[in-house]
Amino acid sequence: MTQEITTLSRWLSESERAVFFGGAGVSTESGIPDFRSTDGLYNQEYAYPPEVILSHTFFERNTAEFYRFYQQKMLYLDAQPNACHRKLAELERQGHLRSVITQNIDGLHQAAGSKRVLELHGSVHRNYCKRCGKFYDAAYMRQTAEVPRCSCGGVIKPDVVLYEEGLDSQTLYDSIRDISEADLLIVGGTSLVVYPAAGLIDYYQGRRLVLVNMSATAADKRADLIIREPIGKVFAQL
């Protein structure tokens, strides 16, 4: 165990209102690729770049093509929680962690047992008919050919925040409140380049800001502790 991990363990043991803010790197060790790594979605070949396909305009105008990409590249329903997900759930049960704020849409934090999970970008596990509002799970979305439709005939849309769409106001409010009241903020598995989510850490007023990421981020100069190790490896040692 490195000195950095020892320090993080001590800070967590002393904390009563820690908050974890995570990105795609949290789930890569569960086999879900991120968007910007060498093997990520941004570096694969498609007729349109992913940021175009995953936009509100594209969903409305090219629904079938949107779902072809979505079903192939966004639904990893067989993925399992890794050491990071499991440790965060344990820390919440022990009373050290107040909440998990995530940019991920895979539901792995809940699968690991976390109760207070604020999903900034929504979840693939929630899908609703645009016409009548009927709910459908992710398994239905994966097995449906072409455009998933409701029993009423309406198009089903995943409860995922697409480009050009705003974040849910209540989720954003709760995230700001939890971060502003935190006595420890751990930021993990995110490059902090996607806004407005990345700007949330500006609300942190505490003196213990921890960054766990393999590469440098824009917040490195502000951090009180930086750990350059795979996030699952780090949390497995806590």
Side-chain angles (χ1 to χ4, degrees):
M1 183 179 295
T2 65
Q3 182 60 47
E4 290 81 7
I5 294 177
T6 300
T7 298
L8 177 56
S9 292
R10 177 170 58 83
W11 287 359
L12 276 165
S13 68
E14 296 170 352
S15 174
E16 296 179 347
R17 300 186 310 279
V19 170
F20 179 84
F21 178 89
V26 175
S27 293
T28 53
E29 292 174 51
S30 294
I32 300 178
D34 65 32
F35 268 55
R36 293 174 175 81
S37 68
T38 302
D39 298 321
L41 294 179
Y42 272 59
N43 291 282
Q44 299 179 19
E45 294 294 330
Y46 296 98
Y48 304 89
E51 66 270 26
V52 172
I53 298 176
L54 297 175
S55 68
H56 180 84
T57 297
F58 195 92
F59 174 82
E60 294 292 339
R61 295 179 180 177
N62 302 276
T63 310
E65 181 67 8
F66 169 90
Y67 272 115
R68 188 173 72 87
F69 178 89
Y70 182 81
Q71 290 167 334
Q72 291 177 354
K73 298 299 180 182
M74 305 300 290
L75 295 178
Y76 291 86
L77 305 188
D78 298 324
Q80 297 297 316
N82 59 51
C84 178
H85 298 107
R86 294 191 296 269
K87 179 59 69 171
L88 289 169
E90 179 184 329
L91 288 166
E92 181 185 47
R93 291 193 297 270
Q94 294 172 344
H96 299 297
L97 187 74
R98 179 176 184 178
S99 62
V100 170
I101 301 171
T102 180
Q103 299 176 80
N104 298 335
I105 59 176
D106 50 51
L108 290 181
H109 287 293
Q110 292 93 328
S114 289
K115 302 301 181 184
R116 182 168 175 79
V117 181
L118 302 173
E119 298 173 308
L120 293 171
H121 296 156
S123 172
V124 299
H125 296 283
R126 298 188 299 270
N127 306 275
Y128 300 95
C129 173
K130 293 180 63 182
R131 180 182 297 174
C132 73
K134 184 178 179 179
F135 169 84
Y136 289 86
D137 63 17
Y140 179 86
M141 302 297 282
R142 183 168 66 174
Q143 70 188 15
T144 303
E146 297 184 349
V147 179
R149 290 191 176 274
C150 177
S151 55
C152 77
V155 173
I156 303 170
K157 183 180 183 298
D159 187 16
V160 170
V161 179
L162 302 177
Y163 289 95
E164 304 169 347
E165 295 179 345
L167 303 185
D168 176 74
S169 58
Q170 186 62 52
T171 302
L172 191 59
Y173 173 83
D174 290 342
S175 298
I176 292 172
R177 183 187 62 192
D178 283 11
I179 289 175
S180 65
E181 296 176 354
D183 56 11
L184 169 65
L185 178 61
I186 306 171
V187 180
T190 174
S191 53
L192 293 174
V193 297
V194 177
Y195 283 82
L200 290 178
I201 69 169
D202 293 337
Y203 291 94
Y204 181 56
Q205 304 298 316
R207 293 180 295 174
R208 292 176 171 178
L209 172 61
V210 181
L211 300 182
V212 184
N213 203 55
M214 293 296 291
S215 58
T217 77
D220 283 7
K221 292 182 179 179
R222 293 179 48 193
D224 302 291
L225 179 65
I226 298 175
I227 303 177
R228 295 272 188 256
E229 296 284 348
I231 196 162
K233 178 182 177 181
V234 171
F235 276 80
Q237 296 180 71
L238 294 179

